[in-house]
Each structure stands twice: as C-alpha cells, then as structure tokens.
Amino acid sequence: RKEVEQDPGPFNVPEGATVAFNCTYSNSASQSFFWYRQDCRKEPKLLMSVYSSGNEDGRFTAQLNRASQYISLLIRDSKLSDSATYLCVVSGDSYSSASKIIFGSGTRLSIRP
Amino acid sequence: EAGVTQFPSHSVIEKGQTVTLRCDPISGHDNLYWYRRVMGKEIKFLLHFVKESKQDESGMPNNRFLAERTGGTYSTLKVQPAELEDSGVYFCASSHRTGWVGETQYFGPGTRLLVL
C-alpha cells in the first residue's frame, strides 16, 4: 500500500462545476498536509496547506480528517485555468524529519468549456 | 525575487556517463531539497541540506548519487555512472527557516534527465 494514495483521475468536468478530490495517508503520526498544483511539464507549486479546522482560499476548500487519515480538496465554480494535476503531500512525523515528505501520485483535472 | 533555478533544463546522456545537475535556491534560503520523479511514479524525496550540511540523505537511491552544497549556496547532484533507471525529472526546492516540514517549499522547474 502506498503511503499517500490519490485517485489518479482524470477528472473531466465542465467549467463552473464543483469537483472534489480525496487523498488518504497511512502514517497516523504525520503532522503537516498540503495540496500542490502541477501544470504539465512544470514544477509543483503550493496551492494550500491543510489544517484540522479546514481552510478556504477563494474557490478552494481543504479539509483534514485525522481520525480517518484523509485530506480533501474542493474546487467550486471551476475555471479552465484549474486544469492541472493536484498533488497531495504529507510530511513530518518529527520536527525536522524532512525524509518523511511524501507525495501522492497526483490527480489529473481537466476542465472543459 | 528570483525563484529556484536549475541547470540544465534537459540532459540526454548515455548509460555509464556522468551528469551533474545544479540548483540555485532562493537567496537567503538555508534549506535545500532534492527530489526525483521517474516515469509513472510519484515525486520522491532524495535529500535535504541545511546550509552546507546534509540534514537527511535517506532518500538517495545508491552511492552513484553524490550531492554537495559547498558554501551553503548552490547545490550540485552528480550521477556517476548513470544508469537507464536514473531517467526522470529532478526537482530542487528551497525553504527559508528551520527546515520544519510544515513550511512552504519553493520548487525549481526541474531538470529532465534521459539516460540512453
């Protein structure tokens, strides 16, 4: 079993739709959680950190459920520019344990006009 | 502010040759990380520098890989001799503060390595 699992997709949704991704992680001691976005042949860029209380940034909402060990990302009113691969990232079972930065394989999202 | 830069952007070499990748982190960032994504797989951590010191190199695949960060500024990752399975995209990232895994890492554009 992978340490961070994501549905690879692709998700193909019309512009304006709401789309949600989930990600599960296996290490219950993980401390930090992120969603990164990666455009085709580009580097990953931080989209948002994920907190237990949930957090929202414009059309994007991230949630963390520690009990069930899953993280979600909700995109509302999707735009064509949201088309990308979304990477779930889990890290840190100790203060400086960089080796525990684990990437999911990514979920591909394609928004159609 | 300039972002993380990597050189070269692409490299095509033959099996058995040596390749050296370079990463220039964001100015003032003490923490520098190397990652790799091989075809069809997820991005995997290779190692972490704090200034010139290797904080964690547990992700380095084998002793054909050598990373250095002399002077605590730019870093190089040398693969010698390269094997076919080393092909992939090598990303460098940097972060500012203590190296705490919760802080934002800024990625470079990556070096695409193809070993023939």
Side-chain angles (χ1 to χ4, degrees):
Chain A
R1 184 189 170 192
K2 290 183 179 179
E3 294 184 76
V4 177
E5 297 223 45
Q6 294 183 251
D7 182 342
F11 285 61
N12 189 322
V13 302
E15 198 173 5
T18 295
V19 60
F21 310 135
N22 288 329
C23 161
T24 58
Y25 61 96
S26 60
N27 186 350
S28 59
S30 298
Q31 297 182 3
S32 301
F33 310 89
F34 310 89
W35 283 102
Y36 276 75
R37 171 194 169 127
Q38 187 173 24
D39 293 292
C40 187
R41 301 185 68 80
K42 298 285 188 181
E43 69 274 19
K45 290 185 179 178
L46 180 68
L47 179 65
M48 57 199 306
S49 301
V50 188
Y51 306 115
S52 296
S53 54
N55 47 304
E56 188 173 311
D57 183 1
R59 299 181 291 109
F60 298 83
T61 300
Q63 296 258 329
L64 166 65
N65 184 320
R66 284 187 182 272
S68 302
Q69 293 178 213
Y70 81 78
I71 307 145
S72 65
L73 177 68
L74 182 78
I75 305 174
R76 292 182 299 278
D77 186 24
S78 54
K79 311 292 184 190
L80 295 176
S81 57
D82 294 334
S83 297
T85 295
Y86 290 82
L87 303 170
C88 177
V89 178
V90 174
S91 66
D93 61 4
S94 66
Y95 180 77
S96 62
S97 180
S99 63
K100 298 303 181 185
I101 297 171
I102 309 293
F103 281 80
S105 55
T107 298
R108 283 176 50 207
L109 173 65
S110 177
I111 306 298
R112 62 180 188 269
Chain B
E1 180 184 87
V4 177
T5 57
Q6 293 186 244
F7 182 83
S9 59
H10 297 78
S11 182
V12 181
I13 61 172
E14 292 187 351
K15 176 182 170 181
Q17 289 186 320
T18 297
V19 63
T20 300
L21 313 181
R22 173 171 169 144
C23 168
D24 286 78
I26 292 172
S27 178
H29 281 194
D30 288 342
N31 299 286
L32 187 149
Y33 307 83
W34 283 100
Y35 296 89
R36 176 173 77 167
R37 185 171 200 163
V38 297
M39 181 71 75
K41 301 284 188 180
E42 60 274 13
I43 297 171
K44 284 195 181 290
F45 166 85
L46 297 179
L47 87 160
H48 169 208
F49 283 99
V50 177
K51 297 185 180 178
E52 68 276 8
S53 300
K54 290 176 185 174
Q55 178 78 9
D56 185 338
E57 53 184 329
S58 61
M60 295 287 263
N62 51 61
N63 59 10
R64 295 186 293 103
F65 288 75
L66 174 65
E68 294 181 321
R69 193 184 181 195
T70 306
T73 54
Y74 71 91
S75 174
T76 58
L77 179 64
K78 182 162 71 174
V79 186
Q80 179 183 30
E83 298 288 345
L84 299 180
E85 64 265 24
D86 300 333
S87 296
V89 184
Y90 290 76
F91 290 105
C92 176
S94 71
S95 67
H96 179 56
R97 295 186 305 182
T98 60
W100 172 57
V101 292
E103 66 181 354
T104 300
Q105 295 185 23
Y106 299 88
F107 281 76
T111 292
R112 283 159 181 77
L113 174 66
L114 179 60
V115 182
L116 302 175

